Amino acid sequence: MNTAEWPLAVFTLVVQMAAGMMVLSELARMRAGAAAKRLFAGRDIVCFALGAVGMLISLAHLGNPLHSPFTIFHLGQSWLSREVLCTGLFVATLAVLVAVRVFPPLTRTIPFLARLVPLITVLSCLAGLATVYAMARVYMLVTVPAWNSPSTLLNFFGAAFLLGSLGIGLLASVNWTVSVPADEKGPGNWVIATILLGLALGLGLKFAEIPFDLLAGAQHNARGESILTILSDIGMPVFALRLVLPVLASALFLRVLIPAFKRDGNGLSAPLAVFALFFGMAGEFLGRLIFYSTHILMGL
Amino acid sequence: MLKRPAFHIDLKTCTGCKTCMVACKDKHDLPEGVKWRRVTEYSGGNWVRQTDGTFAQDVFGYYMSISCNHCEDPICVRSCPTTAMHKDECGIVKVDHAKCVGCRYCEMACPYRAPQFNPQIGMMTKCDFCEDFQLQGKAPACVAACPCRSLTFGEYDELKARFGEATTVAPLPEPTITQPSLVVTPGRTAKAAHSDRGRIRNPEEL
Ligand code: SF4
Ligand code: SF4
């Protein structure tokens, strides 16, 4: 397995997770209003930390990180340049949101900033989605047929919604456990329904990817490398684990969400949500390393 | 200097001795693992049933010496985020080490595996068509070293007029992807680009 690409695996996954968290929480907030606001407290900081740490870790993949400012020089043609720009914009919008929350006097000094917060939040969500799209396009190279298919888009957006729902679900359950008085009414089912929708979408996209992978599976290059030969080198138990972990994560997560849904949003269990996110992230990390192993270049 | 510098490889005469590979490594003092020119061993074949019910073998094998093809539409240049990978005014595709970030994206994209990462400097390196030799009126090191005279260099159009255009020989990729400045004279057993008849037998060496 291509473990050398671990910085790219971590970078893509944590940024995708942050994008998914932003989009799902904003969708939930649009319907649930103030109830959702309290449950998503700290979201901007968490997403900013994920984005910033992801960007820092991505530097470990570069041979010469000091030249990284040059990576936005080729926006006209290079999807890698576009990915860097989108990620930068995503993290920058999150940084502004964090600054507004951490330093409230900022909005008194610059009053229009407070009015801009909703707009910046929407921009952040759009930049997050654009980042996930650009990330997928980076790998959709015409010379790598196994990657140059809708499966890469499904894989990356699937990870964004799967990890995003697990992440925002964990944040909501921690906030519920820590700061909501026991007698207070729950967050309402809009929040839970939106997180559930994100989970179903993420898992659905992940499984929709499988037929495309199977189609590409038998195609081999002149070296005789194919998805099937690579999977057999990696070992079927590892591949099976990669498939089982997100299902296990989703099952655990449903154990968090369904009882709370029945109680009209009361009592989200944080410990279970931690395990769900751990298993979900482990499965996606394994999946991403497998993805990088399937760099089956055509030609020589 | 040439306008569209190109290589010609004669598969009929190449014996796969790899002198070109060694000459290139020596001239550019390349570290271990960095190979600007690589010689692919491509072979295949099987027992084939004849009309009279007997079997005959159709085993074949040939060598393909490839460096960078200084392509007309280079995917390495298209992909590079920093513009470090560029085509200069003499048609040579080069890496600008003042900009290269060492992301290896060009290496990921080039179907000829021409960009070669040098871990000692943390940046990409590749065939520069022995530009210094050209300026002195000399042939590139690989061309000069080939004992079978299987490698030639020159202006793409002139090589094409002299040897004919045949760049779709397996295991080369479809030439429309990058439009390589490469002219190939196929041998008797050469297979078409999309052929599934053979395999590259020396991936560790490439
Ligand atoms: S052979 Fe590869 S590295 Fe050389 S110009 Fe063509 S695409 Fe670029
Ligand atoms: S390794 Fe250097 S030359 Fe290659 S794509 Fe990255 S920045 Fe460009």
Side-chain angles (χ1 to χ4, degrees):
Chain A
M1 193 153 49
N2 188 357
T3 49
E5 298 292 14
W6 72 264
L8 285 183
V10 174
F11 161 67
T12 53
L13 285 174
V14 295
V15 173
Q16 284 163 15
M17 177 173 163
M21 285 176 72
M22 285 301 292
V23 171
L24 289 174
S25 56
E26 272 313 290
L27 286 177
R29 202 193 49 78
M30 275 159 60
R31 296 307 299 252
K37 216 171 169 185
R38 178 129 47 120
L39 283 177
F40 298 147
R43 175 202 66 180
D44 298 340
I45 294 176
V46 170
C47 290
F48 171 71
L50 286 172
V53 167
M55 281 185 92
L56 276 178
I57 287 178
S58 75
L59 297 180
H61 152 80
L62 302 175
N64 191 5
L66 288 177
H67 285 173
S68 48
F70 299 133
T71 52
I72 50 165
F73 274 23
H74 205 187
L75 294 169
Q77 280 196 306
S78 170
W79 274 104
L80 189 51
S81 254
R82 294 168 191 163
E83 181 211 52
V84 174
L85 181 76
C86 290
T87 314
L89 286 176
F90 180 46
V91 177
T93 51
L94 289 169
V96 175
L97 294 176
V98 169
V100 171
R101 307 241 185 276
V102 175
F103 310 109
L106 211 59
T107 47
R108 282 197 290 279
T109 327
I110 319 169
F112 74 94
L113 206 56
R115 288 202 302 277
L116 282 184
V117 165
L119 179 67
I120 296 170
T121 310
V122 172
L123 281 179
S124 185
C125 292
L126 293 177
L129 290 174
T131 304
V132 179
Y133 180 73
M135 275 178 175
R137 291 303 304 264
V138 164
Y139 298 101
M140 291 168 75
L141 289 162
V142 64
T143 49
V144 186
W147 289 354
N148 191 24
S149 92
S151 76
T152 306
L153 279 168
L154 295 169
N155 182 349
F156 284 26
F157 275 102
F161 287 110
L162 182 71
L163 296 176
S165 65
L166 293 171
I168 205 71
L170 173 61
L171 184 70
S173 54
V174 168
N175 279 332
W176 175 259
T177 312
V178 172
S179 64
V180 179
D183 56 346
E184 189 171 312
K185 208 176 161 336
N189 284 340
W190 275 116
V191 171
I192 294 178
T194 312
I195 298 174
L196 267 174
L197 196 75
L199 182 73
L201 185 62
L203 213 57
L205 292 175
K206 287 270 143 196
F207 280 95
E209 182 198 334
I210 292 175
F212 290 101
D213 289 339
L214 288 177
L215 268 180
Q219 285 177 28
H220 54 74
N221 63 8
R223 296 176 174 215
E225 297 164 339
S226 71
I227 291 185
L228 293 180
T229 60
I230 287 164
L231 286 183
S232 82
D233 283 351
I234 289 171
M236 279 304 155
V238 178
F239 184 59
L241 190 65
R242 186 270 168 278
L243 291 179
V244 166
L245 281 170
V247 176
L248 182 65
S250 305
L252 272 177
F253 199 46
L254 288 177
R255 282 283 297 126
V256 179
L257 296 178
I258 302 284
F261 192 79
K262 284 184 187 150
R263 291 194 295 269
D264 197 22
N266 271 301
L268 292 159
S269 160
L272 272 183
V274 170
F275 281 112
L277 179 59
F278 174 78
F279 288 130
M281 186 50 100
E284 287 311 297
F285 183 66
L286 210 53
R288 204 47 59 86
L289 290 182
I290 294 174
F291 172 81
Y292 286 117
S293 306
T294 58
H295 173 247
I296 302 159
L297 192 62
M298 64 159 68
L300 301 168
Chain B
M1 289 292 278
L2 301 164
K3 281 207 287 293
R4 184 177 171 184
F7 285 112
H8 164 254
I9 163 92
D10 186 350
L11 302 187
K12 283 186 186 144
T13 55
C14 174
T15 58
C17 69
K18 296 166 190 151
T19 307
C20 51
M21 250 174 108
V22 176
C24 176
K25 274 191 84 84
D26 184 42
K27 194 259 165 187
H28 298 284
D29 203 12
L30 302 179
E32 194 186 335
V34 178
K35 289 160 265 187
W36 288 1
R37 184 169 277 282
R38 302 151 309 280
V39 179
T40 301
E41 297 176 6
Y42 186 73
S43 65
N46 214 328
W47 290 103
V48 185
R49 193 187 180 93
Q50 308 293 293
T51 44
D52 62 2
T54 60
F55 284 82
Q57 54 84 6
D58 65 351
V59 174
F60 67 91
Y62 53 90
Y63 302 94
M64 180 79 75
S65 170
I66 293 287
S67 64
C68 169
N69 301 308
H70 303 277
C71 308
E72 269 302 271
D73 186 16
I75 194 168
C76 57
V77 172
R78 290 190 322 248
S79 311
C80 175
T82 61
T83 65
M85 191 69 86
H86 66 286
K87 202 169 172 65
D88 74 4
E89 55 290 348
C90 301
I92 298 174
V93 174
K94 280 185 186 158
V95 186
D96 180 354
H97 284 164
K99 284 190 201 158
C100 178
V101 72
C103 65
R104 307 179 75 157
Y105 193 40
C106 48
E107 180 191 40
M108 203 179 250
C110 170
Y112 302 93
R113 298 185 195 251
Q116 297 270 312
F117 186 70
N118 183 341
Q120 288 173 4
I121 57 169
M123 284 187 272
M124 201 49 71
T125 63
K126 64 183 285 303
C127 160
D128 63 357
F129 224 110
C130 289
E131 199 181 10
D132 52 345
F133 275 11
Q134 274 198 64
L135 287 169
Q136 296 163 28
K138 293 201 285 189
C142 52
V143 174
C146 176
C148 303
R149 292 287 171 261
S150 304
L151 287 173
T152 322
F153 83 106
E155 197 64 67
Y156 178 67
D157 287 335
E158 284 169 20
L159 290 180
K160 234 171 52 173
R162 193 166 145 206
F163 298 106
E165 192 171 15
T167 51
T168 47
V169 175
L172 293 174
E174 185 56 57
T176 50
I177 300 171
T178 65
Q179 297 174 31
S181 303
L182 176 72
V183 177
V184 179
T185 300
R188 191 170 49 84
T189 58
K191 303 290 174 238
H194 294 299
S195 167
D196 195 28
R197 301 283 307 283
R199 285 281 178 277
I200 292 172
R201 304 295 167 179
N202 61 337
E204 304 81 4
E205 252 185 325
L206 304 178

